[in-house]
Amino acid sequence: MINGLLLWVDDEIELLKAHIIFLEKKGYEVITVSNGADAIEQCATQAFDLVLLDEQMPGLSGLETLQRIKEIQPATPVVMVTKSEEEDIMNQAIGSKIADYLIKPVNPSQILLTLKKNVHRREIVTEVTQSGYQQDYQQIAMQISECNNFTDWVEVYKKLVKWELELSSAESNMTEMLIMQKEEANNSFAKYIVKNYLNWITDLSDKSKSKATDRPLMSPEIFKSKVFPTIDEGNKVFLIVVDNLRFDQWRVLSEEIGDLFDIEEELYMTILPTATQYARNAIFSGLMPLQIAQMFPELWVDEDEEEGKNLNESPLIQTQIERYRRHDKFSYHKINDSNAAEKFMQQLKNLEQNDLNVLVVNFIDMLSHARTEMKMIRELASNESAYRSLTLSWFRHNVLSEVFKELAHAGYKIILTTDHGSIRTTKPTKIIGDRNTNTNLRYKLGKNLNYNSKKVFTIKDPRQAQLPAPNLSTSYVFATGDDFFAYPNNYNYYVAYYKDTFQHGGISIEEMVVPLITLTPKKR
């Protein structure tokens, strides 16, 4: 078995016979040439797994040869072999995208190491990653079965996301095993929510009670527990709410801004339903949805109304500031498209006099919906890994990456969070409702709903969950795991259309356990 085809270019190639024999014994085929012109000719006729290139040669220099090779085989790693470490030469070589460099005299173990790094890296990473997950699998399974509180679930979720990212980058065939373990985790998580959720809401809504020690931080508490204390510490604060941002997506984006900020990472629990109308309004108001509807009826929009459900966010922030008898000066901005983004960037300098600036970014939610509706987007984001990759590509080329750079330079403390996450739905579950039943695929509210009670979490008295009830007989029904609701009418078409789409509104770790990040600019 051949481990790889190598090209070694050196004007003293005859002195390297021992090295070449060593590589051949290790399973490599080595083609040798003594000058740049012959190297270029070889590269024009066949593809190599790696090129070892002498920097100092008569005729075409190593750097000139490097440039020509890169024109012919841009993806082939080239390792520069040099007698000197002159800064100018090394800068030029690195600028020409060498994969590595070795200093003469080279020894066989150095060459073997550079081959492992540049030819066999993917296989080695895959092997080590798969071995690591196999060793961790049983421990994670035990942790899932023993989860008693939110802290336990956070630890499990972090481990699952860690392996999801590592296995996807290693292109491992063990991803299916991880998917099954996530499914197991979500089944147990749903039982945890069913058992505890209404007690948490009672505790959250009753101001006479102190916070229960095992209750997670929840949507209405974000300002009180995180935003206001950060302002009170004397910081200029930016609250950035990226709609529909899951923890795995945050982890990918964090690598892009890690050199700008010190990162403090927390996770919190969203309220139900995990939908913008409920969860985001709860963040901005500091209230549960029923409290908003009762205290500020002009700011609450019922499900069956045509009006946009998130048009009153700025007034809701104002009500929360006033309820806490604060006098924070704040701004509110929303970015839905590139025009809004450019307009926001133009105003950025004028926001420095505010105590708080709130920015809502809707791209990921729009991407999720576009993936459902558009075949091309569905193919671009065909799986979880591709969905994260598309999110990362958007961030790199979007004005938001510039916003982070500007805010770091201006010394803002950033609180980055989301209102809810999403889950890739795969299993339809039938439900029957009247024409006034809402359209969301992960939760339903209405009268006389008919469903399989073993597969859902039902709240028959919405007041217990601090949710508005348009009618006396209204109940809320939440899908769990990766289920989605489908009507019996036109069932097959409906299932085929919505299966394997990213949805939110229901109960899953991905929807309910979401990032709450504090970013402090690094001192330069």
Side-chain angles (χ1 to χ4, degrees), residues 152-281:
D152 293 343
W153 279 111
V154 165
E155 290 309 308
V156 164
Y157 189 32
K158 283 184 174 180
K159 278 195 175 179
L160 290 171
V161 167
K162 172 200 168 189
W163 287 117
E164 187 173 17
L165 296 177
E166 291 194 14
L167 289 170
S168 64
S169 64
E171 295 182 4
S172 167
N173 57 11
M174 294 183 71
T175 304
E176 287 300 316
M177 189 172 164
L178 178 66
I179 289 170
M180 289 172 65
Q181 190 159 54
K182 279 177 68 180
E183 191 173 333
E184 177 195 346
N186 265 323
N187 290 336
S188 295
F189 181 76
K191 292 174 185 173
Y192 168 70
I193 294 297
V194 170
K195 180 181 177 183
N196 294 290
Y197 186 77
L198 292 179
N199 290 332
W200 293 339
I201 299 306
T202 300
D203 178 75
L204 184 67
S205 306
D206 189 342
K207 300 301 180 187
S208 65
K209 292 187 177 184
S210 59
K211 178 183 168 184
T213 53
D214 59 348
R215 176 171 67 73
L217 182 72
M218 300 185 77
S219 310
E221 300 174 292
I222 299 300
F223 268 70
K224 179 179 72 174
S225 67
K226 184 61 66 174
V227 177
F228 291 152
T230 307
I231 295 171
D232 292 341
E233 289 167 0
N235 298 293
K236 293 191 298 181
V237 179
F238 239 93
L239 173 63
I240 300 179
V241 180
V242 181
D243 192 11
N244 214 355
L245 178 69
R246 298 193 320 198
F247 181 57
D248 61 321
Q249 292 170 312
W250 151 250
R251 275 287 171 89
V252 170
L253 298 185
S254 69
E255 296 178 11
E256 293 294 302
I257 59 175
D259 60 336
L260 296 172
F261 299 96
D262 293 323
I263 298 173
E264 179 188 324
E265 188 178 86
E266 295 176 60
L267 293 166
Y268 82 92
M269 178 81 78
T270 69
I271 64 163
L272 292 172
T274 46
T276 299
Q277 176 188 4
Y278 298 90
R280 199 155 84 203
N281 284 338

Side-chain angles (χ1 to χ4, degrees), residues 491-506:
Y491 181 79
N492 292 331
Y493 169 80
Y494 198 80
V495 168
Y497 190 80
Y498 286 108
K499 186 180 179 185
D500 199 34
T501 62
F502 289 92
Q503 303 292 336
H504 59 83

Side-chain angles (χ1 to χ4, degrees), residues 33 46 101 114 135 142 169 173 175 181 190 212 240-241 286 294 345 364 370 405 415 436 442 477 488 508:
V33 294
Q46 60 186 319
Y101 71 90
T114 202
Q135 291 171 26
M142 192 176 299
S169 64
N173 57 11
T175 304
Q181 190 159 54
I240 300 179
V241 180
Q294 290 173 340
M345 283 298 288
I364 297 176
K405 290 173 188 172
I415 298 168
N436 294 320
R442 290 281 291 167
V477 182
S508 68

Side-chain angles (χ1 to χ4, degrees), residues 123-399:
E123 303 101 280
I124 293 169
V125 167
T126 299
E127 185 180 336
V128 170
T129 302
Q130 289 187 162
S131 173
Y133 177 57
Q134 280 177 318
Q135 291 171 26
D136 221 6
Y137 177 86
Q138 209 58 47
Q139 186 187 2
I140 295 171
M142 192 176 299
Q143 279 183 277
I144 290 169
S145 66
E146 294 175 352
C147 276
N148 292 316
N149 55 47
F150 185 65
T151 303
D152 293 343
W153 279 111
V154 165
E155 290 309 308
V156 164
Y157 189 32
K158 283 184 174 180
K159 278 195 175 179
L160 290 171
V161 167
K162 172 200 168 189
W163 287 117
E164 187 173 17
L165 296 177
E166 291 194 14
L167 289 170
S168 64
S169 64
E171 295 182 4
S172 167
N173 57 11
M174 294 183 71
T175 304
E176 287 300 316
M177 189 172 164
L178 178 66
I179 289 170
M180 289 172 65
Q181 190 159 54
K182 279 177 68 180
E183 191 173 333
E184 177 195 346
N186 265 323
N187 290 336
S188 295
F189 181 76
K191 292 174 185 173
Y192 168 70
I193 294 297
V194 170
K195 180 181 177 183
N196 294 290
Y197 186 77
L198 292 179
N199 290 332
W200 293 339
I201 299 306
T202 300
D203 178 75
L204 184 67
S205 306
D206 189 342
K207 300 301 180 187
S208 65
K209 292 187 177 184
S210 59
K211 178 183 168 184
T213 53
D214 59 348
R215 176 171 67 73
L217 182 72
M218 300 185 77
S219 310
E221 300 174 292
I222 299 300
F223 268 70
K224 179 179 72 174
S225 67
K226 184 61 66 174
V227 177
F228 291 152
T230 307
I231 295 171
D232 292 341
E233 289 167 0
N235 298 293
K236 293 191 298 181
V237 179
F238 239 93
L239 173 63
I240 300 179
V241 180
V242 181
D243 192 11
N244 214 355
L245 178 69
R246 298 193 320 198
F247 181 57
D248 61 321
Q249 292 170 312
W250 151 250
R251 275 287 171 89
V252 170
L253 298 185
S254 69
E255 296 178 11
E256 293 294 302
I257 59 175
D259 60 336
L260 296 172
F261 299 96
D262 293 323
I263 298 173
E264 179 188 324
E265 188 178 86
E266 295 176 60
L267 293 166
Y268 82 92
M269 178 81 78
T270 69
I271 64 163
L272 292 172
T274 46
T276 299
Q277 176 188 4
Y278 298 90
R280 199 155 84 203
N281 284 338
I283 292 173
F284 290 144
S285 65
L287 300 168
M288 289 296 292
L290 180 58
Q291 293 172 314
I292 302 171
Q294 290 173 340
M295 295 168 65
F296 307 103
E298 74 282 4
L299 300 179
W300 179 259
V301 182
D302 282 324
E303 286 267 5
D304 57 357
E305 294 182 39
E306 293 294 322
E307 186 183 339
K309 305 297 189 287
N310 55 356
L311 299 179
N312 299 319
E313 291 171 353
S314 183
L316 285 172
I317 295 169
Q318 185 64 49
T319 66
Q320 181 165 195
I321 289 171
E322 289 172 357
R323 275 200 338 277
Y324 282 94
R325 294 183 171 86
R326 299 178 64 92
H327 305 284
D328 305 307
K329 185 178 179 184
F330 79 97
S331 73
Y332 169 86
H333 303 267
K334 185 184 290 185
I335 294 178
N336 287 328
D337 54 36
S338 56
N339 288 336
E342 293 301 329
K343 188 176 177 182
F344 172 75
M345 283 298 288
Q346 291 166 11
Q347 299 177 53
L348 198 52
K349 291 286 184 189
N350 301 326
L351 303 179
E352 293 190 357
Q353 74 266 22
N354 296 327
D355 304 297
L356 170 67
N357 295 291
V358 178
L359 176 64
V360 174
V361 182
N362 270 349
F363 172 80
I364 297 176
D365 190 57
M366 290 160 63
L367 172 62
S368 172
H369 292 299
R371 188 187 177 279
T372 302
E373 304 297 337
M374 297 173 62
K375 185 179 178 183
M376 183 181 72
I377 301 294
R378 193 180 281 215
E379 289 177 358
L380 281 172
S382 58
N383 55 38
E384 302 275 4
S385 179
Y387 189 43
R388 284 190 296 271
S389 179
L390 203 56
T391 305
L392 178 59
S393 179
W394 157 75
F395 181 80
R396 283 176 173 165
H397 302 289
N398 186 272
V399 74

Side-chain angles (χ1 to χ4, degrees), residues 46-80:
Q46 60 186 319
F48 291 96
D49 294 301
L50 182 135
V51 177
L52 290 154
L53 177 62
D54 186 17
E55 186 264 314
Q56 292 182 338
M57 296 184 295
L60 280 176
S61 71
L63 286 172
E64 291 170 320
T65 306
L66 169 66
Q67 290 170 353
R68 296 284 296 278
I69 288 173
K70 280 293 178 185
E71 288 171 9
I72 301 166
Q73 296 189 25
T76 301
V78 178
V79 176
M80 188 72 80

Side-chain angles (χ1 to χ4, degrees), residues 438-452:
N438 64 312
T439 58
N440 188 287
L441 300 186
R442 290 281 291 167
Y443 78 95
K444 297 292 181 185
L445 73 150
K447 299 183 292 182
N448 306 317
L449 298 173
N450 198 312
Y451 48 83
N452 182 344

